[in-house]
Amino acid sequence: KAGVTQTPRYLIKTRGQQVTLSCSPISGHRSVSWYQQTPGQGLQFLFEYFSETQRNKGNFPGRFSGRQFSNSRSEMNVSTLELGDSALYLCASNPREFPPEQYFGPGTRLTVT
Amino acid sequence: GQNIDQPTEMTATEGAIVQINCTYQTSGFNGLFWYQQHAGEAPTFLSYNVLDGLEEKGRFSSFLSRSKGYSYLLLKELQMKDSASYLCAIPPGTASKLTFGTGTRLQVTL
């Protein structure tokens, strides 16, 4: 079974721009979560989607948004990029509602200049 | 809220045993996860403990004490490839998301 895939793997943007990241979960997994990882803050939860509905949300500003499609693929969008948004963005899928055993994709490395 | 503490860095010798500790504070405990993350790669699932005691999985074992808010990951017969960050994580309540500790970077030396 193929793992979680994320595109693109690397991205360089400038302040003020917006960015869209894509994630395809493991086949059959309906829950998709997004995390931001930085050296200073570690892994922080952004949001989780299940059956096209946002089910959980982390403590991030409204510039961070996401959605999930009927085929469980998910996208996250960051608008008005700031330097502090430079991070590794990880997508994870979960085969069941609970416990949230997350299977992570390789991540998208976003650099904001 | 939740609070998770792990040592920042540890060093151990190839072939030795190392114990990585994790202490946590949470309301409504529903299990604790351990993940391994090699530099530049995604975290991979190692273990999930929901009951007290030790669970062994090959060279890796994970222990949980709910009354003490404490867990550890035990790595035996260390190999160079075990050099990685080890993250403990807990779900807040029954939410399908995880709160991660900052991770322990383990360096295995010859």
Side-chain angles (χ1 to χ4, degrees):
Chain A
K1 203 180 251 190
V4 177
T5 58
Q6 292 186 245
T7 56
R9 293 292 311 278
Y10 302 91
L11 207 49
I12 299 175
K13 291 284 188 179
T14 56
R15 275 179 298 177
Q17 287 186 314
Q18 75 163 16
V19 67
T20 300
L21 312 181
S22 182
C23 169
S24 292
I26 293 171
S27 177
H29 290 193
R30 293 163 63 191
S31 166
V32 174
S33 297
W34 289 89
Y35 292 82
Q36 181 196 64
Q37 187 172 33
T38 59
Q41 299 296 319
L43 258 171
Q44 292 190 294
F45 174 78
L46 280 156
F47 27 66
E48 184 234 356
Y49 287 87
F50 181 84
S51 293
E52 302 178 66
T53 301
Q54 187 181 87
R55 192 162 59 174
N56 289 288
K57 190 177 189 307
N59 191 25
F60 278 81
R63 300 186 296 107
F64 292 81
S65 63
R67 59 178 175 168
Q68 186 181 34
F69 302 94
S70 57
N71 61 357
S72 294
R73 191 177 70 84
S74 177
E75 289 181 347
M76 69 163 279
N77 184 278
V78 188
S79 62
T80 320
L81 284 166
E82 300 176 359
L83 294 179
D85 297 333
S86 294
L88 180 67
Y89 289 88
L90 291 160
C91 168
S93 70
N94 187 24
R96 64 188 70 82
E97 185 149 1
F98 199 86
E101 182 183 323
Q102 314 274 273
Y103 291 83
F104 286 89
T108 295
R109 172 74 62 184
L110 172 65
T111 301
V112 182
T113 61
Chain B
Q2 298 180 302
N3 193 38
I4 302 173
D5 284 313
Q6 300 180 239
T8 305
E9 290 187 357
M10 298 182 72
T11 302
T13 307
E14 190 178 36
I17 299 172
V18 71
Q19 178 176 310
I20 301 174
N21 296 326
C22 171
T23 57
Y24 64 88
Q25 293 175 317
T26 183
S27 53
F29 179 79
N30 281 293
L32 184 143
F33 290 83
W34 283 98
Y35 283 82
Q36 179 192 60
Q37 186 177 25
H38 286 100
E41 298 182 12
T44 55
F45 169 79
L46 288 176
S47 66
Y48 172 62
N49 293 64
V50 65
L51 299 176
D52 291 350
L54 184 70
E55 290 202 10
E56 298 186 63
K57 205 185 282 188
R59 294 189 300 114
F60 291 15
S61 302
S62 55
F63 171 84
L64 176 68
S65 169
R66 289 173 295 173
S67 62
K68 295 182 180 176
Y70 168 67
S71 173
Y72 67 73
L73 184 68
L74 194 70
L75 288 73
K76 304 175 190 174
E77 300 168 18
L78 279 172
Q79 302 175 9
M80 298 298 289
K81 68 178 182 180
D82 298 330
S83 293
S85 287
Y86 292 86
L87 304 150
C88 70
I90 54 177
T94 56
S96 51
K97 62 178 182 177
L98 290 174
T99 299
F100 282 85
T102 51
T104 299
R105 187 159 50 215
L106 172 67
Q107 184 174 357
V108 180
T109 60
L110 292 171

